[in-house]
Amino acid sequence: MNRSPLSLSATTMAAVVVLLAVGSSMLHAYFLYEPRLHGGEAADFVVMNGTIYTSDAALPYADSMAIRGGRIVRVGNYSSVQDLVGSKTRMENLQGKVVVPGFIDSHMHFIFGGLQMGQIQLQGVSRKDHFVNKVKEAVSNSPPGTWLLGGGWNNNLWGGELPMASWIDDITPQNPVWLSRMDGHMGLANSLALKLAGISNNTKNPEGGTVVRNSVGEPTGLLIDSSMKLVFACIPEVSVEERREALSRASDHALRRGVTAIVDMGRYFPGASPELSWEDLSDVYRWADVSGKMKIRVCLFFPMETWARLHELINKAGRKLSEWIYLGGVKSFSDGSLGSGSALFYEPYVAEPLNHGLQVADIDQLYNLTLASDKAGLQVSIHAIGDKSNDMILDLYKSVATENGIRDRRFRIEHAQHLAPGTAARFGKQEIFASVQPDHLLDDADSAIKRLGIERANRGSYSFNSLLAGNAQLALGSDWPVADINPIRSIKSAMRRVPPGWENAWISSECINLHDALIGHTISAARACFLDEDVGSLSPGKMADFVVLSVDSWDEFAAQDSASVEATYVGGLRAYPRDLKEDSSSRI
């Protein structure tokens, strides 16, 4: 991988422009490469006078780009695309603005995030009374008997004390409540919800989950990982209409942040029904596709226990259902999360000598499911956060690859947050994609030091640079709604690693440069889900998905925190802000 820093000075950029103007035979051939397109036809759209970063090593920088039929025809300097300008070609002078490929968010829960936008919002709440007031406000707007749903709370923001049902019981006597923690691996139920779920002093912990109890054995209202299914079973199904509205809300939010493609891990968490992801495919995504309402590209992953159904669908319809919907692979869980005390570690949590975390799946069953999924040609992705969990999954992947033989399988580990010494090198050696979320480190730094101790926390947390040094590929994402969709902030988090309230970077040796961070949100993210033939770089033949930023030099982009998204284009059409002059129903 090319790891040269991407922070071009004016002199360097001038040299690039001269190179483009002179043009070698290699670049000339690149300009004229028009796969699947007929030469001689005028372009639909030409952008010019930009500072274009392509994420394509064959031609990293350009200033102009020609688009036809929703795909890129040529990239280079203006003279190389000028002959494609016709009387009906739309022209846009970018006035030097930085252009990058459309960002790809490699891990999120898209419909779930869209639903949560319409529920109780607890992100950023830093005081107990504010937490309670948010619930009180929701109660005042809800009839008795209605479930109150929401999430996003982070107990570390108010000092670490975990919430309890008693915090909200007095104000919710007639409304069952479920509020998920920001990581989705823990949630709070009020006493009425516990009663409806049949959770009492006598309730046993399900495999891979914990019912949190007080000193006398009474449930506090907190449920961890698979124990959440006890409450999930009582919550009314979300209507099809609500989920379709959630898709629209989520898509608009993503486009505002420059995201043109996402990897949706579905409404699937430990304890949730594996059917939810399939219902969203049929009721929401396929409906939106047929109705012309898709706005961004989605790659869908499904619960691993349903691998046979996915295999059958891919054999029947292929991986590409349309130019909006791709079938990715299967996902499972190995452990929980750090904040919920359920990430699996070799050593126990500080002040919890009996707690090493949770192994949320039987390892033999997980191996058999992975073996079968991989043998069927499906891509496999497994959630692992703690150091022991990551080693377990790397061992499992190695055994499956040995058993099933060599192929381009692109195994993924989701999160890969805490690694034992030497583990980072295994990712590159085994060709495992590390699907990581840089913004998580902003929330986890203080918590990791508190729960693991400073030595362990600083030894192997969010080891981005170590992973790259071992030739692993990083695919960057948000895990929305755990963290907000914000690739520009994610890139800065990966580069600087400065948590709120800190003056210096957390583990500065693990900072990465702008080039690697951009690659992680573009072409590497595309490779991580087999979409690199269509998206991920501004290359001839690929989809014309790109973002215009508010800055007009690489130096400014690298140095400032003020860069923002000015416009997002999908298939050569401006999707944000919406251009009313264009036919918004046009399909790529």
Side-chain angles (χ1 to χ4, degrees):
M1 179 185 297
N2 178 11
R3 302 191 59 222
S4 59
L6 181 61
S7 55
L8 295 183
S9 64
T11 302
T12 305
M13 195 62 205
V16 171
V17 172
V18 169
L19 175 62
L20 292 174
V22 174
S24 66
S25 59
M26 178 186 71
L27 293 179
H28 183 70
Y30 185 85
F31 294 147
L32 298 181
Y33 174 51
E34 300 182 19
R36 293 171 288 177
L37 299 170
H38 300 290
E41 298 178 11
D44 301 325
F45 184 31
V46 168
V47 295
M48 56 182 289
N49 192 25
T51 305
I52 301 174
Y53 175 68
T54 68
S55 286
D56 186 337
L59 183 71
Y61 316 112
D63 63 39
S64 299
M65 181 166 58
I67 296 160
R68 184 167 61 232
R71 291 182 181 267
I72 298 167
V73 184
R74 294 183 195 163
V75 182
N77 59 11
Y78 182 67
S79 64
S80 70
V81 304
Q82 192 172 12
D83 66 309
L84 294 177
V85 177
S87 60
K88 296 183 180 180
T89 301
R90 292 183 294 118
M91 302 288 293
E92 182 167 348
N93 188 332
L94 296 172
Q95 299 181 338
K97 291 294 173 65
V98 171
V99 173
V100 295
F103 294 120
I104 300 171
D105 192 309
S106 294
H107 181 118
M108 62 163 62
H109 307 273
F110 206 46
I111 305 298
F112 181 74
L115 288 169
Q116 198 170 100
M117 290 176 75
Q119 299 172 350
I120 302 174
Q121 299 288 303
L122 297 172
Q123 292 89 347
V125 171
S126 58
R127 286 169 46 181
K128 173 183 175 180
D129 59 332
H130 288 174
F131 181 104
V132 174
N133 286 337
K134 287 274 191 178
V135 178
K136 185 182 295 185
E137 181 182 351
V139 172
S140 66
N141 296 316
S142 304
T146 305
W147 274 82
L148 302 180
L149 305 174
W153 57 268
N154 180 3
N155 51 298
N156 295 317
L157 296 181
W158 60 73
E161 180 186 4
L162 288 167
M164 297 184 290
S166 60
W167 285 19
I168 57 176
D169 279 344
D170 289 345
I171 59 174
T172 60
Q174 300 181 72
N175 295 89
V177 179
W178 175 252
L179 305 170
S180 60
R181 192 179 185 276
M182 58 175 294
D183 52 26
H185 289 267
M186 174 190 282
L188 176 69
N190 68 346
S191 291
L192 180 56
L194 292 175
K195 181 179 180 181
L196 292 173
I199 298 173
S200 67
N201 297 27
N202 299 320
T203 301
K204 295 182 179 179
N205 290 333
E207 182 179 355
T210 302
V211 177
V212 179
R213 307 170 193 275
N214 61 20
S215 58
V216 295
E218 297 171 336
T220 67
L222 289 172
L223 304 175
I224 300 176
D225 285 312
S226 64
S227 66
M228 298 187 294
K229 66 184 177 184
L230 303 174
V231 166
F232 289 166
C234 303
I235 298 175
E237 286 287 328
V238 182
S239 71
V240 172
E241 291 73 20
E242 288 175 303
R243 287 184 282 135
R244 290 174 179 175
E245 291 173 2
L247 172 62
S248 181
R249 281 196 300 267
S251 298
D252 289 341
H253 183 50
L255 288 168
R256 282 194 296 271
R257 298 298 174 82
V259 173
T260 58
I262 62 103
V263 177
D264 185 8
M265 294 295 173
R267 291 186 293 142
Y268 181 57
F269 301 93
S273 168
E275 293 301 314
L276 299 180
S277 297
W278 288 98
E279 291 171 2
D280 287 341
L281 170 62
S282 60
D283 298 341
V284 181
Y285 286 120
R286 283 193 148 174
W287 167 84
D289 192 22
V290 171
S291 304
K293 297 183 183 297
M294 288 295 292
K295 303 175 184 179
I296 69 173
R297 309 187 202 283
V298 298
C299 181
L300 307 177
F301 276 68
F302 298 85
M304 192 184 292
E305 54 262 49
T306 66
W307 70 267
R309 194 188 316 185
L310 180 60
H311 181 231
E312 181 181 358
L313 178 58
I314 290 176
N315 281 343
K316 179 180 179 181
R319 290 190 68 248
K320 186 175 179 178
L321 300 185
S322 72
E323 294 191 349
W324 296 100
I325 303 174
Y326 299 78
L327 300 176
V330 293
K331 184 202 175 185
S332 191
F333 293 86
S334 174
D335 64 348
S337 72
L338 177 72
S340 298
S342 55
L344 186 63
F345 288 93
Y346 287 109
E347 301 175 54
Y349 287 82
V350 170
E352 298 179 74
L354 300 180
N355 181 23
H356 289 254
L358 289 175
Q359 184 177 314
V360 300
D362 177 80
I363 193 64
D364 292 331
Q365 182 181 18
L366 185 59
Y367 174 80
N368 290 331
L369 286 170
T370 302
L371 187 69
S373 301
D374 180 69
K375 186 172 290 186
L378 300 175
Q379 187 179 16
V380 175
S381 171
I382 299 178
H383 163 119
I385 288 183
D387 55 10
K388 183 175 181 180
S389 180
N390 276 278
D391 281 348
M392 285 172 53
I393 301 309
L394 287 167
D395 289 344
L396 181 151
Y397 280 159
K398 183 177 181 179
S399 296
V400 168
T402 299
E403 177 72 19
N404 285 342
I406 297 173
R407 75 176 183 88
D408 183 12
R409 47 178 44 93
R410 304 188 198 182
F411 279 149
R412 297 167 55 122
I413 288 184
E414 304 302 316
H415 312 303
Q417 286 182 5
H418 305 281
L419 306 179
T423 297
R426 296 184 61 187
F427 280 77
K429 185 177 181 180
Q430 294 181 217
E431 300 183 341
I432 309 298
F433 279 83
S435 171
V436 300
Q437 300 76 41
D439 279 348
H440 282 359
L441 70 85
L442 303 179
D443 297 312
D444 273 1
D446 292 323
S447 178
I449 291 170
K450 180 180 178 181
R451 306 205 72 159
L452 304 179
I454 189 167
E455 182 181 351
R456 282 171 63 195
N458 290 350
R459 186 171 61 206
S461 298
Y462 296 88
S463 304
F464 302 155
N465 196 47
S466 294
L467 286 162
L468 289 173
N471 294 318
Q473 292 199 54
L474 300 184
L476 272 55
S478 65
D479 201 10
W480 189 63
V482 177
D484 195 14
I485 304 171
N486 195 338
I488 293 177
R489 188 181 68 180
S490 172
I491 287 167
K492 297 299 174 66
S493 296
M495 292 170 61
R496 298 178 182 174
R497 299 176 64 102
V498 180
W502 288 43
E503 294 183 0
N504 301 311
W506 181 35
I507 321 176
S508 60
S509 61
E510 295 296 348
C511 293
I512 63 177
N513 63 45
L514 177 56
H515 169 80
D516 288 331
L518 276 169
I519 289 295
H521 257 306
T522 55
I523 188 60
S524 185
R527 293 189 192 108
C529 53
F530 287 94
L531 298 191
D532 47 311
E533 289 188 1
D534 277 342
V535 297
S537 65
L538 300 179
S539 308
K542 290 194 179 184
M543 303 290 192
D545 299 350
F546 61 95
V547 180
V548 181
L549 301 179
S550 61
V551 293
D552 56 14
S553 76
W554 296 120
D555 290 337
E556 187 180 1
F557 183 31
Q560 293 188 7
D561 292 322
S562 59
S564 60
V565 172
E566 285 204 349
T568 304
Y569 289 81
V570 181
L573 298 178
R574 196 168 77 191
Y576 168 79
R578 185 62 58 85
D579 189 341
L580 298 179
K581 294 180 181 180
E582 293 179 353
D583 179 6
S584 61
S585 66
S586 295
R587 301 307 298 269
I588 298 172

